[in-house]
Amino acid sequence: MLNPQYSVYSPPLTNWSYAAAASGIVNTTTAVTIKAAEAGRRCFITSIQISAEALGAATELVIRDGAGGTVLWRTKIGTGGLTTGEPIVFSTPLNGSTNTLLEVATLTASVTGAVYVNAQGYCAV
């Protein structure tokens, strides 16, 4: 049986997870780092969970490769929010570049209400 610390496709992995801040992302377009860069490794996102309170303005939520970098994934959140939450599993993980952080951001300030993002993944050579 394959040890869960190893993958058929890569050397030993380091798992990581990010839990949303207690206040969430509120009325800002400032990005939040969900995974710091690891020297010589690229980081992957295997799943996320999103929830949002009712928002004063609709927004796009993006996951980016690097600070202000390439958008790897995006979704729209309407003013009604996502009160029941939205779990998303990436059957093919989102992959960042080597030596690069991963971040999440709302592209339009929400005016009122908060957006919450949890993320999980791994880093490998």
Side-chain angles (χ1 to χ4, degrees), residues 51-76:
S51 63
E53 299 165 345
L55 304 176
T59 189
E60 281 184 87
L61 177 72
V62 296
I63 296 173
R64 295 191 292 218
D65 179 25
T70 302
V71 172
L72 300 175
W73 182 88
R74 81 175 64 227
T75 193
K76 184 90 167 183

Side-chain angles (χ1 to χ4, degrees), residues 25 28-31 50 52 55 57-64 71 73-79 82 104-110 115 117:
I25 300 170
T28 185
T29 57
T30 301
I50 306 167
L55 304 176
T59 189
E60 281 184 87
L61 177 72
V62 296
I63 296 173
R64 295 191 292 218
V71 172
W73 182 88
R74 81 175 64 227
T75 193
K76 184 90 167 183
I77 302 174
T79 55
L82 296 169
V104 62
T106 51
L107 297 184
T108 304
S110 62
V115 175
V117 179

Side-chain angles (χ1 to χ4, degrees), residues 8-99:
V8 175
Y9 307 105
S10 65
L13 309 174
T14 55
N15 294 315
W16 61 269
S17 63
Y18 169 81
S23 60
I25 300 170
V26 181
N27 196 29
T28 185
T29 57
T30 301
V32 175
T33 298
I34 59 173
K35 177 62 183 110
E38 288 192 17
R41 299 168 76 89
R42 63 186 327 160
C43 295
F44 299 79
I45 299 173
T46 55
S47 59
I48 60 174
Q49 301 79 42
I50 306 167
S51 63
E53 299 165 345
L55 304 176
T59 189
E60 281 184 87
L61 177 72
V62 296
I63 296 173
R64 295 191 292 218
D65 179 25
T70 302
V71 172
L72 300 175
W73 182 88
R74 81 175 64 227
T75 193
K76 184 90 167 183
I77 302 174
T79 55
L82 296 169
T83 56
T84 59
E86 186 71 30
I88 300 165
V89 175
F90 299 106
S91 56
T92 301
L94 300 179
N95 59 305
S97 302
T98 303
N99 303 324

